[in-house]
Amino acid sequence: MATRAGRPADEGVSEIPLPALFTQAKDVTLAELHRRLDEEGFEGIRYSHGAVFRFIDAEGSRLTALAARSGLSKQALGEVVTELERHGYVERTTDPDDHRAKTIRLTERGMQAQVAAARILGDIERRWAQHLGPDRIADMRMVLEEVVRSEKS
Amino acid sequence: MATRAGRPADEGVSEIPLPALFTQAKDVTLAELHRRLDEEGFEGIRYSHGAVFRFIDAEGSRLTALAARSGLSKQALGEVVTELERHGYVERTTDPDDHRAKTIRLTERGMQAQVAAARILGDIERRWAQHLGPDRIADMRMVLEEVVRSEKS
DNA sequence: GATAGATAGTACGGTTCCCTTACTACCTGC
DNA sequence: GCAGGTAGTAAGGGAACCGTACTATCTATC
């Protein structure tokens, strides 16, 4: 393969740019998560569904709350909820105290999917830890969390 | 804030799911990269332009080669090249030896942008290293690269 | 207790970014 | 010199989001 432009020769071995590296790590993780969820019978789950699974309260949440927590617009989150509803992961019921609002609640199946997703992500992280060392994975987490926290402000 | 469903209480402090963590790290990095490129006069650059800047050869590359290296379709990469051409970062010239093919080459400005992007990403990584420790950042890189490598196969 | 303004959710249309299918132009091997 | 392969483009579509605008409902104030 020919030489690439703009690459000072002394720049180290691989040097995948950080954004590409993070994207690939995400893609790899998500591919396994979705594949295994599917294998366990939890079909049709995609990335942005996490906005519901991550942020929903045990007693149910309102659409507006989930949108705010996840950073998605109300409309986008509404779409996500409709999709999850079609797959039987959540249900929408009108709030008896406020007829404008609807409470979004996980169904039994939704809770099982949530638990399964957490377990699978835990599995993945544990496998990485076995392969590369638990402290290194824990430290990677801490570094990333710190980076995100400090840069967001 | 109310309790969240499906979260065993013993599960540690933050526990952002890995895909969300990687996505946020990518977004934070990319936001700074694009902001600073823009400040330096390199406007209109977005994520997928990296497919060209990362993989183009010093002597120019063919569209098909860039598509294959980046994993994008030829059409998507053609769009990206057209956009970069409009902004003056690359030029397309017909290959004299093969009139089907066109050679895509960085312009002077394109090379400057490429160098600037590498410098800015280096800055970011260096700042993280100062803040969190150089070995930790280097190790994060190695961990991520290893994870991506091993999971892709 | 009427009404102005805020809030919950939905509808509609648009953008971005990628894909697949289908095509044209050109090249190469038999 | 033609069959089949390859480079690139065109056209259309879908996923995943956004903003604007709307309806229904609630709440605070007079």
Side-chain angles (χ1 to χ4, degrees):
Chain A
M1 199 181 280
T3 34
R4 300 285 165 70
R7 296 280 179 68
D10 53 331
E11 233 194 42
V13 271
S14 71
E15 281 307 309
I16 302 171
L18 287 174
L21 194 55
F22 293 142
T23 300
Q24 286 175 39
K26 183 203 95 174
D27 289 346
V28 152
T29 311
L30 221 50
E32 176 166 354
L33 174 62
H34 291 161
R35 182 182 55 73
R36 288 178 57 183
L37 281 173
D38 204 273
E39 281 170 11
E40 297 192 21
F42 301 112
E43 286 149 42
I45 291 183
R46 58 186 181 79
Y47 179 62
S48 56
H49 292 165
V52 172
F53 286 119
R54 281 179 69 192
F55 295 116
I56 196 166
D57 295 320
E59 67 275 15
S61 297
R62 291 188 180 181
L63 191 133
T64 303
L66 294 179
R69 289 175 193 166
S70 67
L72 290 180
S73 65
K74 289 194 293 179
Q75 300 80 337
L77 206 117
E79 268 294 306
V80 167
V81 168
T82 300
E83 218 173 301
L84 288 172
E85 206 176 14
R86 256 203 309 274
H87 283 91
Y89 296 115
V90 304
E91 58 190 6
R92 256 193 265 237
T93 57
T94 301
D95 186 323
D97 300 334
D98 185 344
H99 283 221
R100 293 171 305 179
K102 290 175 181 169
T103 304
I104 295 151
R105 220 184 311 272
L106 289 177
T107 61
E108 191 56 45
R109 176 166 152 84
M111 288 190 258
Q112 287 169 5
Q114 191 186 45
V115 169
R119 170 174 43 74
I120 291 167
L121 287 174
D123 281 356
I124 293 173
E125 204 161 335
R126 238 167 282 126
R127 192 181 61 233
W128 292 356
Q130 268 179 359
H131 184 211
L132 298 167
D135 340 348
R136 299 179 72 198
I137 300 302
D139 199 56
M140 176 198 72
R141 246 198 186 287
M142 285 173 57
V143 165
L144 288 177
E145 285 171 11
E146 181 56 31
V147 156
V148 167
R149 200 172 329 141
S150 68
E151 305 284 322
K152 275 261 177 77
S153 51
Chain B
M1 200 184 278
T3 35
R4 301 284 165 69
R7 296 277 178 67
D10 53 331
E11 233 194 44
V13 271
S14 72
E15 281 307 311
I16 301 172
L18 287 174
L21 194 54
F22 293 141
T23 300
Q24 286 174 40
K26 182 203 92 174
D27 289 346
V28 151
T29 311
L30 220 50
E32 176 166 352
L33 174 61
H34 291 162
R35 182 181 55 73
R36 288 180 56 183
L37 280 173
D38 204 273
E39 282 171 10
E40 297 192 21
F42 300 112
E43 287 149 40
I45 291 183
R46 57 186 183 79
Y47 179 62
S48 57
H49 293 166
V52 171
F53 286 119
R54 281 179 70 192
F55 295 117
I56 197 166
D57 296 319
E59 67 275 16
S61 297
R62 291 190 179 180
L63 191 133
T64 304
L66 294 178
R69 290 175 194 166
S70 67
L72 290 180
S73 66
K74 289 193 295 178
Q75 298 79 343
L77 206 117
E79 269 294 306
V80 166
V81 168
T82 300
E83 219 173 300
L84 287 172
E85 207 176 15
R86 255 204 310 274
H87 283 90
Y89 296 116
V90 304
E91 57 191 7
R92 257 193 266 236
T93 56
T94 302
D95 187 321
D97 300 333
D98 184 345
H99 281 221
R100 292 171 307 178
K102 288 174 183 170
T103 303
I104 295 152
R105 221 184 310 271
L106 289 178
T107 60
E108 191 56 43
R109 176 166 151 82
M111 288 189 258
Q112 288 169 4
Q114 191 185 44
V115 169
R119 169 173 45 74
I120 292 167
L121 287 174
D123 280 357
I124 293 173
E125 204 161 336
R126 237 166 284 126
R127 191 181 64 233
W128 293 355
Q130 269 179 358
H131 184 211
L132 297 166
D135 342 345
R136 298 178 73 197
I137 300 302
D139 199 56
M140 176 198 75
R141 245 198 185 288
M142 286 172 56
V143 165
L144 289 177
E145 285 171 11
E146 181 56 32
V147 155
V148 167
R149 200 175 328 142
S150 68
E151 303 284 322
K152 275 261 177 77
S153 50

